[in-house]
Amino acid sequence: MFVLSMVLAEDLTNILFHSAFACYVKNREGRYLYINEAGGRMLGLKPDQIIGKDDSVLFTRDGYTTIAKEDAMTHYSSQPVTYISTAKASGLAAHPNFRAIKSRLPYRDWE
């Protein structure tokens, strides 16, 4: 069993928070448990406006469908998966050519 020390957990939180890349954690139901400032900017919202919501309220219908498929493939994978995604956030209507390269990995609570 892997146990994070409080110092390591704080260091990882700081790394995620200050990353220039969007970093987020979602639960099995697809609700955001964590998202950093860069992720909020990507969606056109502040992180506290995103936490607890799922993609159905944050993305266009097509974007939500794309992300739901990516989530399902990631969930059933045992390894990291990389996608080039065109899923567009509802708040980014002014960016018609939005593309994102996503590297995702399933979080497993092994206990």
Coordinates of all heavy atoms in Angstrom, one line a residue, residues 1-3 107-111:
M1 N 0.8 -1.2 0.0 CA 0.0 0.0 0.0 C 0.9 1.2 0.0 O 1.9 1.3 0.7 CB -0.9 0.0 1.2 CG -1.8 1.2 1.3 SD -3.0 1.1 2.7 CE -2.0 1.2 4.1
F2 N 0.5 2.2 -0.8 CA 1.3 3.5 -1.0 C 0.6 4.5 -0.1 O -0.6 4.8 -0.3 CB 1.3 3.9 -2.4 CG 2.1 5.2 -2.6 CD1 3.4 5.2 -2.5 CD2 1.4 6.3 -3.0 CE1 4.1 6.4 -2.8 CE2 2.0 7.5 -3.2 CZ 3.4 7.5 -3.1
V3 N 1.3 5.1 0.8 CA 0.8 6.2 1.6 C 1.5 7.5 1.4 O 2.8 7.5 1.4 CB 0.9 5.8 3.1 CG1 0.3 6.9 4.0 CG2 0.1 4.5 3.4
Y107 N -7.5 6.9 -11.9 CA -7.1 6.9 -10.5 C -7.7 5.6 -9.9 O -8.9 5.3 -10.1 CB -7.7 8.1 -9.8 CG -7.5 8.0 -8.3 CD1 -6.3 8.2 -7.7 CD2 -8.6 7.8 -7.5 CE1 -6.1 8.1 -6.4 CE2 -8.5 7.7 -6.2 CZ -7.2 7.9 -5.6 OH -7.1 7.8 -4.2
R108 N -6.9 4.9 -9.2 CA -7.4 3.7 -8.5 C -7.1 3.8 -7.0 O -6.0 4.0 -6.6 CB -6.6 2.4 -9.0 CG -6.8 2.2 -10.5 CD -8.1 1.6 -10.9 NE -8.1 1.2 -12.2 CZ -8.9 1.7 -13.2 NH1 -9.7 2.6 -12.9 NH2 -8.8 1.2 -14.4
D109 N -8.2 3.6 -6.3 CA -8.0 3.6 -4.8 C -7.9 2.1 -4.5 O -8.9 1.4 -4.5 CB -9.2 4.2 -4.1 CG -9.1 4.2 -2.6 OD1 -8.1 3.7 -2.1 OD2 -10.0 4.8 -2.0
W110 N -6.7 1.6 -4.3 CA -6.5 0.2 -4.2 C -6.9 -0.4 -2.9 O -6.7 -1.6 -2.7 CB -5.0 -0.1 -4.5 CG -4.6 0.2 -5.9 CD1 -3.8 1.2 -6.3 CD2 -5.1 -0.4 -7.1 NE1 -3.8 1.3 -7.6 CE2 -4.5 0.3 -8.2 CE3 -5.9 -1.5 -7.4 CZ2 -4.7 -0.1 -9.5 CZ3 -6.1 -1.8 -8.7 CH2 -5.5 -1.2 -9.7
E111 N -7.4 0.3 -2.0 CA -7.8 -0.2 -0.7 C -9.2 -0.9 -0.8 O -10.0 -0.4 -1.4 CB -7.8 0.8 0.4 CG -6.4 1.3 0.7 CD -6.4 2.3 1.9 OE1 -7.4 2.9 2.2 OE2 -5.4 2.3 2.5

